[in-house]
Amino acid sequence: MEPRILLVAAATGTQSGATIKALVASSTPGVSIRALVRSKASEKAQALVGVELVEGSFDDSQSLKNALVGVDSAFLVTTPFGEGQSPEAEIRQGKAFIDAAKGAGVKHLVFTSVEGAERKTGIPHADGKHEIEQHLFASGMRYTVVRPVIFMDLFPLSVGAELAINLWTLEVFLRGRKLQMVASEDIGWSFLSASFGWFCAQALLNPADYGGRQIPLAGDALTMAEVRATYAKVTGQTPWNLYLLPGFLVKWLPIPPLFLKTLTVSIFYMWYGSTAGYEADVEARRAEHPAMMTFETWLSRKIKAA
């Protein structure tokens, strides 16, 4: 088998870290993994196992060219959040990486987007990823786009005021409809259960099978009543029920609960409440990867690991 180099960008991040772990665990003959990091000396970079560390930045074109030399397939994740970041910065960085990958002769690029980005939601970070997706499609490179829905990790583990407020907020927007969710990879048990990392690793390792695919990724879909029942089953405590008029939501926006910490997330929930919301095929993803976690499995394991 001809040797292949797989590059994972932003390697110290949650999504990239899960992808690296899944790649290392696969022990695929002839495959070596290159991790793009800002600093090799950082604690997070040093914690990466089984990879070649290379330094680089999305804003440094020469460092990207150096990192991509000889790479067969690459994984790209971008974010508008964090110090110095914005939707505009994310778009610029995503396009720069795609251009550098194409220039280096990379054959296949896996990009992690967000479910709904293909439908132009009006949500800043989703529309930014839509623009990056379009740049990737126009590049002519073989691609795989993975579009996760909201991460289960946004739910608090304890049954208390924070959970009650968040469940009420979601109920206001969803009006009894189901919320699609997927387990994130920043978890304390076997990363083989981390569905996101599994799908991205499979795409990198099997470009012939995953090339050209756009994969909406969800592991469960529950109403808030079902979420309450799950908390009660797993923790033995029934979440509080808040009986407030929807107008009280305005009161919470200046001091928002977990799901409304940013204007972007607020816009997301307004979009979800006024449209069909996420449109991932949960059963199809489970058929492809039976180890995908349900919300109950995620909550049980997360609490045990805490």
Side-chain angles (χ1 to χ4, degrees), residues 87-88 104 216 303:
E88 294 75 23
I303 288 175

Side-chain angles (χ1 to χ4, degrees), residues 108-145:
H108 179 216
L109 195 147
V110 179
F111 175 55
T112 171
S113 182
V114 63
E115 213 292 306
E118 74 283 7
R119 301 192 295 279
K120 292 288 286 183
T121 63
I123 304 167
H125 81 280
D127 286 352
K129 292 188 190 300
H130 171 83
E131 191 166 335
I132 297 171
E133 285 185 14
Q134 294 304 307
H135 194 73
L136 175 58
F137 300 155
S139 72
M141 278 191 296
R142 179 157 54 183
Y143 65 83
T144 304
V145 176

Side-chain angles (χ1 to χ4, degrees), residues 148-282:
V149 298
I150 199 167
F151 287 116
M152 295 174 185
D153 287 59
L154 289 175
F155 283 90
L157 300 182
S158 59
V159 175
E162 182 182 49
L163 176 61
I165 293 169
N166 286 312
L167 290 176
W168 171 77
T169 302
L170 284 165
E171 285 173 333
V172 169
F173 287 110
L174 297 176
R175 301 188 299 278
R177 292 188 293 122
K178 293 179 182 288
L179 177 68
Q180 292 187 346
M181 301 172 280
V182 66
S184 86
E185 48 295 322
D186 188 19
I187 51 180
W189 56 93
S190 173
F191 57 81
L192 293 177
S193 296
S195 53
F196 182 91
W198 186 90
F199 274 96
C200 292
Q202 289 300 308
L204 289 166
L205 292 169
N206 304 290
D209 295 330
Y210 282 83
R213 289 188 61 186
Q214 301 174 42
I215 309 173
L217 193 58
D220 210 343
L222 300 174
T223 64
M224 291 308 101
E226 291 169 332
V227 170
R228 290 178 189 279
T230 302
Y231 271 98
K233 180 179 180 180
V234 172
T235 69
Q237 303 176 56
T238 301
W240 306 347
N241 243 320
L242 295 184
Y243 298 97
L244 300 172
L245 295 174
F248 274 77
L249 183 62
V250 176
K251 177 181 177 181
W252 288 103
L253 288 177
I255 311 175
L258 182 64
F259 285 112
L260 296 174
K261 284 185 176 177
T262 68
L263 178 61
T264 293
V265 179
S266 301
I267 294 171
F268 160 73
Y269 276 99
M270 287 186 277
W271 165 77
Y272 204 113
S274 62
T275 68
Y278 290 138
E279 298 179 0
D281 188 334
V282 177

